[in-house]
Amino acid sequence: METELIAGKPLTEWENQYPLIEDLMVLKEVFWNNPKYRSFQEAAENISLTEKDVIYAEARLLRFAPYLAKVFPETKKTNGIIESPLVGISKFHNTAESIFRTKIEGTFMLKCDNELPISGSIKARGGIYEVLKHAENLALEHKMLRFEDDYSILANEDFKNFYSQYSIAVGSTGNLGLSIGIISAKLGFKVTVHMSADAKQWKKDLLRSKGVVVVEYNSDYSKAVEEGRKQSDSDPNSYFVDDENSTALFLGYAVAALRLKKQLEEMNILVDPEHPLFVYLPCGVGGGPGGVAFGLKLLFKDSVHCFFAEPTHSPCMLLGLMTELHDQISVQDVGIDNITAADGLAVGRPSGFVGKTLEKLLSAVYTVEDSMLYMLLNMLADSENRYVEPSAAAGLYGPIQLSMEPAGQDYIKKHGLKERMADAVHISWATGGNMVPREMMKEYQEIGKSQLADFLKV
Ligand SMILES: *Cc1c(COP(=O)(O)O)cnc(C)c1O
């Protein structure tokens, strides 16, 4: 029988070189410290994006704020700024300590992107930003708009007619499609969303109700992206939002860091070498968590420690980083099915651009079982009355694993953080949830409840 090669070598050779692959293959939860992690100064040397790029992205969002406030009334109270609260979750902290029988030193917080206006997930950052940037470019090119204008004029009929000559396309597991679809349709673009098999029916229905063309695939995210890209490239008036390679998307996400810094300051929360910040980000293809982590590293440098969370069935970023093959390897290559309840994270092949950009900036990646996601989701709902989708619950596991896993403790010791942990802040990034229909959320909680009962039995 012919063996399939991965980047020229048989799987067994990769397993010998990286024994952790065997744990991934049997779907065991793992905590992988990144051996290439370096100081910010050293890591930033070979990255072309800078703080200036992020500041420009923030400025662009500010220009669009009057438009957003006008067409999305839910953003009126923040004057058209799409932002979410940062809150302490001490009750969840207590619950987690007692259920997992571990001490989690420091302050436990939640960044509530599950409450982001317009599309209820972290995709309301990057996805909306990229469409706005494209819309601005088109209008500037055609001399319909100047930077100094009040952008609320974009809500006028002549702009909608103008944009209706152009198309936007995207491939998605669901949430990116929601964000791109909603904002594109609002501006007047023709928009097509190519949905992977993971995408929930209600997301497709919602988009169709807004006039978005939804194309469904029986395969995973990579295929939906590939087809979407192919179809879009054949039409010169069509713009493809490339989740795997887009710097615009990445910078839109990175703006979150500037906003978070302000929120921390307003809450008098220090971040410095004596007060380390730990951030836990659920990761799919990598753009969302990668952009946010990049922005945070620019601002807080070595005082912030960024962790990615992936489902045990879709550990694509971990696999890409560990083998240094990035987008040249997929979880399917090593026999993992990429089937998970965390639909937003159901990605088999990571972004090569994100992996390479973050390769020395990311502290670690851990994986989470689906049953644990439901359990955490329900624990958060019961203790804090906050509702996140299964993907978003992955971030809640970070502080627990950091304190419980030997590899987590190794990380703390290696970086001289042991004595600092009492003054540490942990932020779990709740990446989505608000758009989930109530009935479905109830089902998730029920599953979580029974998972918890099982967990406490053993
Ligand atoms: C998309 C998504 C993520 C991860 O973002 P990527 O850019 O795919 O890595 C995390 N959580 C939720 C809820 C998402 O929809």
Side-chain angles (χ1 to χ4, degrees):
M1 202 181 83
E2 203 182 336
T3 18
E4 297 234 9
L5 299 182
I6 304 167
K9 289 197 282 185
L11 173 56
T12 47
E13 232 170 274
W14 290 108
E15 288 177 65
N16 288 339
Q17 197 173 350
Y18 303 103
L20 195 74
I21 291 180
E22 288 169 25
D23 288 344
L24 295 180
M25 288 168 66
V26 296
L27 307 173
K28 220 176 113 178
E29 289 186 342
V30 301
F31 194 108
W32 175 78
N33 285 320
N34 177 11
K36 295 179 94 179
Y37 180 71
R38 295 292 180 272
S39 72
F40 176 78
Q41 202 183 347
E42 188 184 335
E45 269 168 25
N46 18 13
I47 300 175
S48 55
L49 298 170
T50 65
E51 189 169 345
K52 211 184 210 172
D53 295 311
V54 184
I55 289 169
Y56 286 169
E58 189 191 32
R60 176 169 286 116
L61 287 170
L62 270 179
R63 289 198 290 278
F64 273 96
Y67 168 73
L68 294 173
K70 186 165 183 183
V71 299
F72 295 107
E74 67 266 40
T75 65
K76 214 172 219 150
K77 58 178 188 294
T78 54
N79 299 315
I81 301 297
I82 303 166
E83 199 40 74
S84 74
L86 172 69
V87 299
I89 46 170
S90 58
K91 290 188 210 117
F92 176 84
H93 189 169
N94 293 338
T95 304
E97 286 187 330
S98 82
I99 287 174
F100 292 97
R101 299 187 195 167
T102 187
K103 169 92 186 133
I104 301 166
E105 284 190 283
T107 306
F108 208 143
M109 304 188 82
L110 192 71
K111 178 61 178 163
C112 304
D113 275 9
N114 55 311
E115 294 177 27
L116 275 181
I118 302 180
S119 68
S121 84
I122 189 170
K123 305 295 193 310
R125 298 183 183 277
I128 289 177
Y129 173 75
E130 177 154 4
V131 173
L132 294 178
K133 178 170 189 269
H134 178 59
E136 184 181 56
N137 285 343
L138 284 174
L140 290 169
E141 261 169 45
H142 288 80
K143 307 225 179 317
M144 297 173 69
L145 186 72
R146 293 165 312 164
F147 282 144
E148 314 79 81
D149 287 337
D150 175 337
Y151 278 27
S152 62
I153 56 172
L154 271 83
N156 298 347
E157 275 311 306
D158 38 335
F159 276 96
K160 281 195 185 163
N161 290 334
F162 169 66
Y163 288 129
S164 70
Q165 311 164 68
Y166 299 92
S167 314
I168 289 184
V170 67
S172 171
T173 60
N175 283 342
L176 185 64
L178 271 189
S179 286
I180 303 280
I182 291 171
I183 184 70
S184 302
K186 186 65 90 176
L187 281 157
F189 286 106
K190 287 192 282 243
V191 49
T192 306
V193 176
H194 299 265
M195 288 285 206
S196 69
D198 315 282
K200 298 273 186 279
Q201 190 58 44
W202 65 265
K203 293 181 184 174
K204 300 175 201 168
D205 296 342
L206 179 71
L207 282 175
R208 288 189 173 121
S209 77
K210 295 185 185 287
V212 174
V213 177
V214 178
V215 185
E216 301 178 56
Y217 296 86
N218 274 325
S219 43
D220 88 345
Y221 162 86
S222 301
K223 180 79 181 163
V225 171
E226 186 190 322
E227 282 302 312
R229 184 185 286 127
K230 213 186 293 168
Q231 288 181 26
S232 181
D233 286 353
S234 66
D235 174 1
N237 276 343
S238 179
Y239 179 85
F240 183 68
V241 177
D242 186 346
D243 198 11
E244 293 170 336
N245 299 296
S246 167
T247 49
L249 207 58
F250 189 80
L251 290 171
Y253 287 121
V255 171
L258 298 169
R259 311 261 183 81
L260 184 79
K261 183 165 188 273
K262 216 173 282 169
Q263 288 179 319
L264 289 166
E265 284 164 4
E266 282 163 9
M267 297 170 91
N268 291 315
I269 296 170
L270 275 178
V271 179
D272 60 25
E274 277 73 50
H275 304 81
L277 175 63
F278 293 79
V279 182
Y280 308 90
L281 296 141
C283 178
V285 72
V292 172
F294 176 68
L296 290 169
K297 293 301 284 190
L298 285 171
L299 299 181
F300 298 116
K301 313 219 159 42
D302 300 330
S303 299
V304 67
H305 306 269
C306 299
F307 299 77
F308 282 3
E310 298 190 300
T312 51
H313 285 257
S314 310
C316 67
M317 188 58 78
L318 199 174
L319 196 59
L321 285 169
M322 179 167 65
T323 57
E324 302 180 37
L325 289 174
H326 300 292
D327 55 353
Q328 300 306 303
I329 191 167
S330 72
V331 302
Q332 289 94 341
D333 287 341
V334 304
I336 302 173
D337 61 8
N338 189 33
I339 294 174
T340 168
D343 50 336
L345 313 181
V347 178
R349 188 184 296 280
S351 159
F353 152 64
V354 172
K356 286 168 203 160
T357 303
L358 269 281
E359 121 181 295
K360 293 180 181 170
L361 290 173
L362 190 67
S363 295
V365 184
Y366 62 87
T367 61
V368 197
E369 281 183 7
D370 281 13
S371 57
M372 183 58 69
L373 296 177
Y374 285 118
M375 202 173 112
L376 293 164
L377 174 161
N378 185 56
M379 283 163 56
L380 184 73
D382 281 352
S383 59
E384 301 281 348
N385 221 5
R386 292 187 183 271
Y387 301 86
V388 300
E389 59 189 87
S391 298
L396 292 167
Y397 206 32
I400 298 163
Q401 290 297 73
L402 188 70
S403 83
M404 295 196 23
E405 282 290 310
Q409 288 303 305
D410 285 349
Y411 182 86
I412 289 171
K413 278 188 216 120
K414 182 168 177 206
H415 297 283
L417 296 164
K418 192 84 195 132
E419 307 307 318
R420 309 272 170 251
M421 293 312 288
D423 297 316
V425 172
H426 304 274
I427 299 180
S428 293
W429 211 280
T431 46
N434 253 23
M435 303 283 276
V436 177
R438 185 177 304 240
E439 279 314 305
M440 192 162 288
M441 188 59 81
K442 275 195 191 137
E443 272 174 43
Y444 291 160
Q445 286 176 254
E446 284 308 317
I447 301 173
K449 212 163 278 176
S450 72
Q451 295 292 353
L452 178 60
D454 289 348
F455 182 85
L456 292 176
K457 254 185 239 155
V458 281

